[in-house]
Every structure is written in C-alpha cells, then in structure tokens.
Amino acid sequence: MTATLNETLTLLLIEDDDGDAFLVEELLKQAEAPPRITWVRSLEEGKAKLTSRIQCVLVDLSLPDATGLEALEQVLAAAPHAAVLVLTGLRDAHVGVAAVKAGAQDYLVKQDVDARLLARAIRYAMERKRADLAQLQLVAAELTAKENARLESGLLPVALLHTDALEHTTRYLPGSQGALLAGDFLDTVQTPDGSVHIVIGDVCGHGPAEAALGVALRIAWRTLVLAGQTGDRLLRTLDAVLRAERQAPEIFTTLCMATITPDLRDARMRVVGHPPPVLVRDGVVSVVDGAPSGPPLGIFSDAEWTILDVPLGDEWSMMLYTDGLIEAAVGEQKELLGVDGLVDLVREHGSIDLDRLIRHVGTLSDDLAAILVSRRSE
C-alpha cells in the first residue's frame, strides 16, 4: 500500500549510517507527496541546516558528535518550530520513550519501519507539533490577558470623587496596532479641601514596558496629590520617577494636569507637551489658550511649565485626551482629525459626548484615553 503524506514537507534527516539514510529516503519516495529531504551525517551539520524552512527532523540518537538525549536537546533548541522524530535501534527502544518525554513528537525503531508506518509517523508528528504550538500560543494569550487586566487596573483607577456636582466619564481604547495596552494613563482625585485634581498622560511607545511605566507614573501622581504636593514640584518629582524607571533615555511622557477649585468655577492647568483640553463653556467650544505650557517630561532636566488659569463658570464641560483621538483618520480622504477638527466636531455635535466622538472617528491608529468632566448649572 502506498504511503500518504498530507502535504509536501521539507524534512531534515540527521543520520550517520549511509544504509539507514538510504532506506529512509527510499521509503519516503513511495509517499503520495514525497517530502524534500536534506540529509546530513552529524549534529553539527544538521544545526547549520535547521532553518525556519525545515518542518520536520528525523534524528538518530547515535551520532559521531552527540549521543542519546544530548542530540535531541540540541535539535529541539535549534528548531523549536519543527516536529522531531527520533530514530533508534532495537536495543535502544527505551531511549525513544525517554526522548518523547523530553520533547520529541515520536520515535521509530529502524528495524520495524516500513513506508506506511514512516509516512504516518511523520504526519502524526506534524499534527502533534501543531497542537503543541497552539497550546503554547493559548497559554501565552492567557498570560497576556492576565497581564493586560493587571495593567488596566493600574492605568484605569476608580476616581476618588466625593461630590455630586460633577459628571465624570472616562474611556480607554487600544489602537489598531494591537490589543496590548500602551502607556496612556489617567486619574482623578478630590482632596479634602474640595479641589478636584485630574491628570491624563501618554508614555511614548507601545508594549508592556511602557504600560508598566504609565502605571508607575499614575500611582506616583495620585500619591503626591494625596500628600499635598502640586504644581511644578509635583511635575519635577514625576520627571525624576520617569528617569529612574524608564528603560531607555529617549522615553518621554506628555501629560495634562488640571486642578479645579473647590467652588468648581476655575481651573489651574499645566499642559506638559500634551494636546490642549477642549472646553465647552456656556455653549461656546474652545481649547485651552496657551497650551502647551512646557515640554514633555524626561527631556529637559531644568524644564519649567507655565501655569494656565482657566475660568470655567457655572456650566461647563472639559475633555482631556491623549493624541490617539486627534491622530485618528476621518472622512473619505482619511485625513487626520487634528485639534481643529476635534473642535469642529464638538461644535457640530453641540456638546462633548465621548462615545459619539469615538464612533465618529472610527478606527484608531493609536491608543486613546479620555476624561470628560462636566458641571451643570443648578
């Protein structure tokens, strides 16, 4: 009966015995789709051939430069993507069992091999390898999900507000480049004197390291605010934390920090290399004048930031956001929304509605964090 392989494979045979190698090649020629075979006589030669194109490896465990499980371990290390079948003699069948426990997909006793058995063993080894890789990917995905959940809890805290006079809404969405949270962070804290402190920030870059740095900065900001530290002194402390925790000197952070007075009628802001907040006051839409008030954190050690005093009045809404919102491509021409486009969009809508804005901009190219704080007149 003719042996059958499901697909044309690229196979590496590591075998120092010419007769055994010839037998394997002849048996595989009987397959319905004979594999492409590369034959080498030593482990050292084999390791040089173990490229990503090799899908399956048949390796003898009695080689001139490696024997037993030592040979297998080196093959597994050099080709983690490939299915591995071990070839043994009658006297070494127990070694084959140990090889499977050590990571090989299967083993074959040379004296018992025929064309159908060899083809079937290769096919099954390939399927087991696919299953093993799928399981590893599943475990990695689960670990990523757990890490994201931990990062999300750090990046997206519960606001510490004890007033009913403000409506407070936040949104955090990943960009199109992946599901991992990046370094955007936000927080809101009301101190005992009634002042409401808000921060939103963006660590440059994407990935777990940037997200972890965002968490560190967010927690540091909350701690400093609760300890009574504000203004430039707070920013310089955050700058020191950033420089101590970042993995590379080119990492910087933009942020916007606002303190709303206890009567909720005025705000004092510092826009640190960050997009300007959007305001709606008595139906008039604008952005904070004078922004940015200074450079991002992590660039200049002697940086200073201008204080922006912003009158709010009795009825107002204020949106702080990261650049993922204004860098979204909108319209048929897929042009960047930009700050002016965002202001026009808010004017068109008549008010700031985070969900409506996000639906309008569609696919985000970068991560988006946003805080909307509103006060309605009594």
Side-chain angles (χ1 to χ4, degrees):
M1 183 176 180
T2 303
T4 301
L5 290 174
N6 287 341
E7 57 185 285
T8 301
L9 303 175
T10 302
L11 185 146
L12 177 65
L13 173 61
I14 308 176
E15 171 61 73
D16 65 322
D17 187 287
D18 291 0
D20 288 341
F22 177 78
L23 175 62
V24 170
E25 289 179 329
E26 288 300 308
L27 291 175
L28 288 177
K29 285 180 182 178
Q30 301 176 42
E32 210 170 81
R36 293 181 293 271
I37 302 173
T38 300
W39 171 36
V40 296
R41 291 181 170 83
S42 69
L43 181 62
E44 199 60 35
E45 287 182 74
K47 287 163 67 176
K49 300 289 185 180
L50 282 173
T51 66
S52 59
R53 294 192 299 272
I54 299 298
Q55 297 164 282
C56 185
V57 181
L58 270 65
V59 57
D60 180 16
L61 293 188
S62 298
L63 296 170
D65 54 350
T67 59
L69 296 183
E70 175 194 354
L72 172 64
E73 289 170 356
Q74 293 192 49
V75 169
L76 292 173
H81 60 280
V84 178
L85 277 82
V86 166
L87 300 174
T88 71
L90 283 171
R91 296 179 180 177
D92 298 324
H94 65 284
V95 178
V97 175
V100 172
K101 291 181 179 179
Q105 274 62 59
D106 205 348
Y107 76 96
L108 294 169
V109 178
K110 296 177 185 178
Q111 290 82 351
D112 294 340
V113 172
D114 59 26
R116 186 172 67 174
L117 176 61
L118 180 57
R120 186 174 64 183
I122 292 174
R123 183 171 65 250
Y124 288 176
M126 293 292 297
E127 292 303 321
R128 278 194 289 272
K129 185 63 179 181
R130 289 190 185 102
D132 291 344
L133 292 176
Q135 180 63 28
L136 288 175
Q137 291 172 354
L138 178 61
V139 171
E142 291 175 348
L143 290 174
T144 298
K146 291 179 180 177
E147 182 65 18
N148 278 350
R150 286 194 293 270
L151 291 174
E152 185 174 1
S153 66
L155 291 167
L156 311 178
V158 176
L160 296 182
L161 282 173
H162 49 80
T163 177
D164 295 328
L166 291 179
E167 297 177 11
H168 182 273
T169 308
T170 62
R171 293 292 182 269
Y172 196 119
L173 295 173
S176 58
Q177 73 279 352
L180 273 175
L181 293 173
D184 294 9
F185 60 93
L186 51 83
D187 203 353
T188 303
V189 172
Q190 188 169 17
T191 46
D193 66 350
S195 298
V196 177
H197 306 265
I198 304 171
V199 69
I200 193 162
D202 185 359
V203 179
C204 70
H206 299 273
E210 288 76 11
L213 182 54
V215 171
L217 293 173
R218 202 279 302 167
I219 293 174
W221 179 88
R222 175 175 282 207
T223 302
L224 291 166
V225 169
L226 291 174
Q229 202 170 120
T230 59
D232 282 7
R233 184 180 176 192
L234 185 154
L235 288 174
R236 290 197 177 91
T237 305
L238 288 182
D239 184 77
V241 172
L242 169 64
R243 294 173 186 273
E245 298 295 330
R246 64 186 177 185
Q247 293 188 343
E250 64 269 16
I251 300 296
F252 64 89
T253 297
T254 70
L255 63 84
C256 179
M257 192 168 65
T259 298
I260 302 171
T261 55
D263 62 4
L264 309 180
R265 295 180 56 85
D266 296 277
R268 173 161 283 194
M269 295 187 184
R270 287 170 175 81
V271 183
V272 183
H274 200 81
V278 174
L279 298 172
V280 179
R281 293 171 291 191
D282 297 323
V284 178
V285 183
S286 63
V287 295
V288 172
D289 292 332
S293 55
L297 301 179
I299 296 181
F300 304 112
S301 58
D302 58 348
E304 295 183 355
W305 299 275
T306 304
I307 299 171
L308 305 177
D309 288 314
V310 181
L312 298 175
D314 293 326
E315 184 172 340
W316 51 268
S317 293
M318 177 170 61
M319 180 176 66
L320 288 68
Y321 55 93
T322 55
D323 58 10
L325 181 58
I326 57 175
E327 291 177 359
V330 296
E332 295 181 359
Q333 303 301 320
K334 297 299 181 183
E335 297 179 351
L336 293 185
L337 179 62
V339 175
D340 292 338
L342 177 59
V343 171
D344 291 341
L345 196 55
V346 173
R347 288 196 182 111
E348 179 185 327
H349 292 169
S351 63
I352 303 176
D353 183 322
L354 289 183
D355 292 328
R356 190 176 180 185
L357 282 174
I358 292 168
R359 284 196 303 271
H360 184 93
V361 300
T363 302
L364 300 170
S365 61
D366 196 1
D367 300 277
L368 162 66
I371 301 176
L372 175 62
V373 182
S374 302
R375 185 193 183 197
R376 307 300 178 201
S377 61
E378 297 180 2

